[in-house]
Amino acid sequence: MTDMNYTMIPLFVALPLTVSFLIMLLGNRVRWISDILCTLCTFVLCLLSFYAIGVVNGHAPLIYKVGGWFPPVGICLVLDSLSCFMLVIVNSITLIVTIYSINYMERYTAKNKFYALFLLMLAGMNGVIVTGDMFNLFVFLEIGSIASYGLVAFGTEEEELEASFKYMIMGSIAGLFILLGIGLLYSYTSTLNMADMAQVVSEKSGSKLIGFVSVLFLVGFGLKGALFPFHWWLPDAHPSAPAPISAMLSGLLIKALGVYALIRVFFSVLDATSLLPVLMVLGTMSMVIGVFLAVGQWDFKRLLAYHSISQVGYIMLGIGLGTPLGIMGGLFHLFNHSMFKSLLFLNSGAVDYATGTRNLKELGGLRERMPISASTSMVASMSIAGLPPFNGFWSKLIIIIACVNAGRPVYAAWAVLASIMTLASFMKVQKYVFFGELKEKFKAIREVPFAMQFSMVLLALICFLGGLLLVPAVSGDFLQSAVDVITNGKEYAKIVFQSLR
Amino acid sequence: MNKEPGMTLIVKTVTRLTVGIILMYGIYIVLHGHLSPGGGFAGGVIIALSFVHLMLAYGKEAALKKISLPVASVLESIGAIMFISIAFLGLLGGYFFFHTLGTGEPFSLFSAYTVLFSNISISLKVGCGLFLVLVSIALAGKEKKK
């Protein structure tokens, strides 16, 4: 393995940070430069993340020693198959969303600040994914969150500021829980390196502290990931942001900061498998409650936000089963949900862009005027509702089969019920927005600009072809090796120390 | 009542005498970051506070005359870019953030070059950032009263 492969790892964090500050410096002076720099940066990162699949999968994980210090002392970055899986999702969607925002963000002033915050958020997410150090995880978590508070308030209307403030309070509380957990773990293990921590925890077994710390992390990451009793900030925060940011928040941020971090800490560091039934119960509750709250909504984006809660429930149910099939279903649903939920938010942005409203009651018949948006949103709706052959169907199917195989048919029944309700609420969206009679005042609207259409079509294609990830001949062992990392969570410390050099 | 912006004569006189000392002390903390407690962050905060001190005593126009908003914003970005460039410079030695610039003589002022330059860039970023935050709070308060 060459040095180039190692050098790639810190670039996932350093490149967006550099470009973000460059945009702040140059953006006001040279026109178009922020568009070009941001698109270029996300494009390079997307290519790098795809390149990383080839480097990591089937091999030992790459460990990067920042500053040349050896891990138990220095900070290390770990790129294993699970990180790689998340990096591909995060960076590919970021690229698509960036292309979308070139046109969409023209409506706002201060586009440079938008791009700068956007890239800071990306740096935070990538940092959480690649880091191998517990405190570093917290720092990147906060970078990502703080950038997202700013982005939620980007419209600076009263409603957006209120949502951002609420989001900030909840995010800070979540951060405090996580920091307290990390502090207690540090005092218990005398190390901050994740692999070292995992080793010490497994050697010093039998302490009640680990249970307490696990609950702290469950609350903290649950708040970041909008898991059931901690979900209520999400329906305010996500719809208030500009559409590309809603797509990033719902599609990526809650997964990278909430779900991924929870998986990493629970499976690799603490080995807290005794808490998995709790994850299952919470997942099922957020699945059902989220979808019931969603059906009654009349605001397009708010409805989608409630569905994010529900779909995170599916992911948690799959992961919480703890069986390889369940974890595979959970991770696959994570991938799929990122794709179709980003697409749906981009669609809602397109509708908002063309008509200026998100109220379902005021819309109608847009299919005639906006064929591309209408058909892509149809694809996304069918994906999220779980109709074959779209990607959502396959992941939900795997989760339900895994529930039955694990001897928990009741959870499977709830998953089916939630899926039916999802179908119902998206039939409502389709009927009120794209079908029916075209209102008089919308006779003159036009389809959105090309860049927005392009990114929506790209995501729709991924939704259509996403099911192919299950076929190893197509995707290599992209999904499977990420699942192996989780199921071999106990081995994490051993694997990391072995692949150090 | 005093028509001039800012506080009373006593405060202004004391400020005039102390503001330079505070600024110098901030710079001292930054430059001795690798030798004594403190460093870029602490020194940057002290540097920002010297300007805030000026702003409190003489009103915000006096502080903004010394360092205007666009200049502070540019300096802040330059600080961040400097810091990340030092990190990228480490790649010459093989690792991100690697100590490539040599060590110099231990315990002398100009030694440990990577740490010294990192401290300077952090102080730029933190100092300008904190100053901008406080100035924007002051400006926002003014707009509301109108």
Side-chain angles (χ1 to χ4, degrees):
Chain A
M1 240 175 274
T2 57
D3 273 334
M4 176 55 215
N5 288 342
Y6 282 91
T7 311
M8 161 182 83
I9 306 173
L11 283 187
F12 281 113
V13 184
L15 205 59
L17 280 178
T18 318
V19 175
S20 157
F21 295 125
L22 271 182
I23 285 175
M24 278 314 278
L25 198 61
L26 302 175
N28 287 333
R29 290 169 182 74
V30 193
R31 265 187 85 212
W32 292 111
I33 197 147
S34 53
D35 287 331
I36 293 168
L37 277 177
C38 189
T39 316
L40 209 63
C41 168
T42 48
F43 182 68
V44 169
L45 286 177
C46 184
L47 284 186
L48 274 181
S49 69
F50 278 106
Y51 176 69
I53 304 176
V55 176
V56 172
N57 278 9
H59 305 284
L62 301 185
I63 319 291
Y64 192 86
K65 304 185 281 290
V66 178
W69 298 95
F70 265 82
V73 180
I75 290 171
C76 69
L77 305 177
V78 179
L79 187 68
D80 60 7
S81 302
L82 179 62
S83 313
C84 198
F85 177 77
M86 292 299 295
L87 280 179
V88 169
I89 298 175
V90 167
N91 291 297
S92 51
I93 289 189
T94 310
L95 174 63
I96 294 171
V97 169
T98 312
I99 296 172
Y100 182 91
S101 26
I102 293 174
N103 281 134
Y104 185 85
M105 292 310 291
E106 289 295 334
R107 303 197 305 167
Y108 293 83
T109 52
K111 205 174 171 189
N112 303 323
K113 285 180 185 152
F114 167 81
Y115 279 132
L117 283 173
F118 183 83
L119 288 171
L120 277 182
M121 189 165 87
L122 176 64
M125 285 192 287
N126 280 345
V128 167
I129 291 166
V130 295
T131 188
D133 185 274
M134 206 64 180
F135 192 74
N136 215 1
L137 181 123
F138 172 74
V139 171
F140 284 126
L141 197 99
E142 287 294 297
I143 292 179
S145 311
I146 289 173
S148 71
Y149 308 148
L151 285 168
V152 166
F154 204 74
T156 61
E157 297 292 324
E158 207 168 296
E159 188 190 327
E160 284 142 3
L161 291 175
E162 187 197 326
S164 171
F165 189 70
K166 196 187 265 182
Y167 179 30
M168 191 174 75
I169 300 282
M170 293 321 294
S172 313
I173 291 174
L176 281 179
F177 272 106
I178 296 166
L179 189 61
L180 182 59
I182 292 173
L184 287 175
L185 260 186
Y186 182 44
S187 75
Y188 180 68
T189 62
S190 320
T191 175
L192 280 172
N193 185 276
M194 281 189 197
D196 207 21
M197 218 174 220
Q199 215 165 28
V200 177
V201 166
S202 68
E203 280 164 9
K204 277 173 125 182
S205 58
S207 167
K208 289 212 168 61
L209 185 79
I210 297 302
F212 181 58
V213 168
S214 316
V215 172
L216 287 178
F217 283 136
L218 180 66
V219 175
F221 294 129
L223 265 165
K224 294 273 182 199
L227 199 61
F228 166 66
F230 321 112
H231 65 278
W232 47 269
W233 54 269
L234 187 141
D236 285 329
H238 287 194
S240 304
I245 295 307
S246 308
M248 290 283 284
L249 292 178
S250 260
L252 303 176
L253 196 80
I254 56 172
K255 300 198 182 66
L257 265 50
V259 179
Y260 168 82
L262 191 70
I263 293 174
R264 185 54 99 195
V265 170
F266 269 30
F267 283 85
S268 298
V269 180
L270 295 179
D271 190 26
T273 33
S274 56
L275 267 178
L276 290 185
V278 180
L279 277 188
M280 270 171 70
V281 174
L282 292 185
T284 312
M285 286 175 89
S286 37
M287 193 166 80
V288 177
I289 290 172
V291 82
F292 270 97
L293 290 170
V295 173
Q297 299 301 322
W298 287 101
D299 182 330
F300 196 170
K301 280 169 97 176
R302 208 174 166 81
L303 185 144
L304 297 178
Y306 275 111
H307 274 290
S308 289
I309 300 169
S310 157
Q311 304 293 319
V312 165
Y314 272 102
I315 298 169
M316 280 303 175
L317 173 60
I319 305 271
L321 278 172
T323 59
L325 191 67
I327 291 173
M328 179 167 163
L331 279 190
F332 190 32
H333 200 68
L334 193 154
F335 175 86
N336 293 340
H337 179 241
S338 310
M339 299 300 163
F340 55 64
K341 186 48 67 69
S342 312
L343 176 52
L344 281 167
F345 269 113
L346 295 188
N347 288 141
S348 76
V351 169
D352 195 7
Y353 187 87
T355 63
T357 178
R358 302 190 318 231
N359 191 337
L360 295 182
K361 284 179 185 163
E362 289 176 22
L363 296 162
L366 296 183
R367 175 163 281 275
E368 297 168 30
R369 307 298 308 175
M370 305 172 70
I372 303 276
S373 306
S375 31
T376 48
S377 101
M378 191 68 169
V379 171
S381 302
M382 289 199 281
S383 292
I384 194 174
L387 296 183
F390 297 100
N391 57 3
F393 168 72
W394 301 105
S395 49
K396 283 186 181 177
L397 186 70
I398 291 175
I399 291 173
I400 290 166
I401 291 175
C403 282
V404 176
N405 276 359
R408 302 188 186 271
V410 181
Y411 289 99
W414 283 114
V416 173
L417 176 78
S419 189
I420 293 170
M421 294 297 288
T422 313
L423 181 62
S425 67
F426 278 94
M427 277 166 70
K428 171 178 157 184
V429 169
Q430 291 296 324
K431 177 179 178 298
Y432 278 95
V433 179
F434 293 110
F435 287 91
E437 226 171 277
L438 187 62
K439 297 264 169 66
E440 193 59 44
K441 61 177 172 179
F442 296 139
K443 279 279 195 304
I445 61 164
R446 279 186 301 169
E447 182 59 287
V448 291
F450 174 75
M452 287 164 78
Q453 288 181 25
F454 175 74
S455 41
M456 287 193 290
V457 170
L458 211 57
L459 276 173
L461 273 180
I462 298 174
C463 284
F464 189 67
L465 300 173
L468 288 177
L469 269 191
L470 283 180
V471 188
V474 180
S475 64
D477 43 7
F478 176 58
L479 182 60
Q480 190 56 48
S481 48
V483 174
D484 290 341
V485 169
I486 301 183
T487 47
N488 293 338
K490 278 183 191 160
E491 307 286 304
Y492 178 75
K494 218 167 85 190
I495 296 171
V496 167
F497 282 121
Q498 265 171 7
S499 34
L500 262 178
R501 51 155 213 183
Chain B
M1 278 294 286
N2 194 348
K3 279 280 170 64
E4 290 177 37
M7 297 191 189
T8 59
L9 185 65
I10 301 172
V11 179
K12 279 183 180 171
T13 314
V14 172
T15 303
R16 202 168 59 229
L17 293 175
T18 54
V19 74
I21 301 173
I22 296 175
L23 184 65
M24 289 299 285
Y25 183 62
I27 294 170
Y28 168 85
I29 293 274
V30 172
L31 290 183
H32 286 73
H34 53 296
L35 301 173
S36 62
F41 195 97
V45 170
I46 296 171
I47 292 174
L49 288 184
S50 72
F51 285 100
V52 173
H53 196 176
L54 209 62
M55 188 166 86
L56 288 177
Y58 286 91
K60 35 193 166 301
E61 283 71 23
L64 286 176
K65 220 180 276 170
K66 300 275 180 208
I67 178 166
S68 71
L69 282 183
V71 171
S73 168
V74 165
L75 280 179
E76 191 199 0
S77 303
I78 286 177
I81 289 174
M82 254 174 78
F83 187 71
I84 210 150
S85 317
I86 292 166
F88 272 115
L89 215 59
L91 284 178
L92 293 178
Y95 292 103
F96 198 63
F97 271 117
F98 193 70
H99 200 111
T100 39
L101 297 175
T103 47
E105 191 166 322
F107 304 110
S108 70
L109 181 56
F110 292 101
S111 61
Y113 295 108
T114 308
V115 183
L116 182 66
F117 293 134
S118 305
N119 273 333
I120 292 173
S121 47
I122 292 172
S123 72
L124 268 181
K125 171 82 187 161
V126 172
C128 295
L130 195 65
F131 177 69
L132 282 175
V133 167
L134 289 166
V135 166
S136 25
I137 289 174
L139 290 177
K142 187 180 156 196
E143 274 169 21
K144 220 172 197 177
K145 271 180 205 159
K146 273 182 186 173

